[in-house]
Amino acid sequence: MATRPLLLAASALAVLSGTPALAKKPPKPSGFEPTLPVPLPAPAPEAQPTGGIFNVSLGYAPLHGGTRAAHVGDAVTIVLVESTTAAKTVSSKSQKGGGAAIVPPTKGPLSFLKADALNASSSSTFNGQGNAAQTSTLVSTLAVTIAEVRPNGTALVKGEKKMLVSQGDEWIRFSGIVRLADIDEDNQIASTRVADAQIEYTGKGAIMRSGRQGWLGQFFNMISPF
């Protein structure tokens, strides 16, 4: 009879382990996954060896193009040389003044008023200044793959580089449109020659969390009127 509770516990554990709700969810795609090359069509069964030394499946590099990336799945090295500097200064100043004077009568019920009792003046001054400056530099290299080749000689490239370090994770993601003619003989192209470039350099972990404000501080800053 002592084995019955053990069997029930084992059955319950098996059910829970097989429950889809408790299974680990697969990671969501980031949209920067590498693109694999298009597979070559399988040869016809009746095709017989011709004895030739040319084989498309081993790779084909024309004499005028060499081994430059030009097809879906080919790797391209992006040389990140991004540098941005922005500065803005705003200054405004205003000043306004006015005055009025009324001389009281020397005789009558208001003769007790002094000569300067009904004098009035007003003035307002405003002076505002604002300065903003931002400088960012990103220098690195990132290998991406061609995801789409277009008829006008351009191609869509995308890829990412993940680095798992002891204090967190970091990754660089890149996507954009390049001209195939701008790719050099080393299959490299500068990021300044990429159209519609999207660059993400971020991460997560202890170091990233230490540089962010806590949720309670963010809450009070959001509702603070000052």
Side-chain angles (χ1 to χ4, degrees):
M1 299 298 293
T3 58
R4 185 174 181 181
L6 296 177
L7 293 176
L8 293 177
S11 301
L13 181 61
V15 172
L16 292 177
S17 62
T19 304
L22 299 179
K24 186 177 180 180
K25 295 182 180 180
K28 296 182 180 180
S30 62
F32 294 87
E33 292 79 9
T35 303
L36 300 178
V38 179
L40 296 175
E46 62 275 4
Q48 298 295 330
T50 60
I53 62 175
F54 175 75
N55 191 350
V56 178
S57 61
L58 298 179
Y60 170 66
L63 295 177
H64 67 278
T67 57
R68 291 186 181 183
H71 305 285
V72 174
D74 291 349
V76 179
T77 301
I78 304 296
V79 181
L80 298 175
V81 288
E82 297 295 324
S83 179
T84 304
T85 302
K88 182 179 181 180
T89 302
V90 179
S91 178
S92 61
K93 183 178 181 180
S94 64
Q95 185 174 1
K96 182 180 180 182
I102 300 177
V103 179
T106 58
K107 296 181 180 181
L110 300 179
S111 59
F112 67 91
L113 295 175
K114 296 182 180 180
D116 57 350
L118 299 179
N119 293 342
S121 62
S122 64
S123 63
S124 62
T125 304
F126 172 77
N127 188 7
Q129 294 182 351
N131 297 316
Q134 180 178 358
T135 302
S136 61
T137 303
L138 180 60
V139 179
S140 180
T141 56
L142 174 65
V144 299
T145 55
I146 297 179
E148 178 184 348
V149 178
R150 299 174 179 177
N152 61 346
T154 61
L156 172 65
V157 296
K158 61 180 181 179
E160 62 182 349
K161 177 193 294 184
K162 294 183 178 180
M163 294 164 286
L164 306 180
V165 295
S166 59
Q167 297 296 326
D169 305 338
E170 294 183 359
W171 58 82
I172 303 176
R173 294 171 176 173
F174 184 90
S175 67
I177 300 175
V178 302
R179 293 175 66 246
L180 296 177
D182 293 337
I183 301 175
D184 61 12
E185 61 275 4
D186 295 328
N187 284 332
Q188 294 183 353
I189 183 173
S191 61
T192 54
R193 309 195 64 147
V194 181
D196 297 333
Q198 297 183 10
I199 306 174
E200 296 182 11
Y201 179 42
T202 183
K204 61 180 180 179
I207 297 179
M208 297 297 296
R209 288 194 301 267
S210 63
R212 298 175 182 173
Q213 189 179 24
W215 63 268
L216 187 59
Q218 295 179 4
F219 171 76
F220 283 112
N221 286 337
M222 182 176 59
I223 64 175
S224 176
F226 304 103

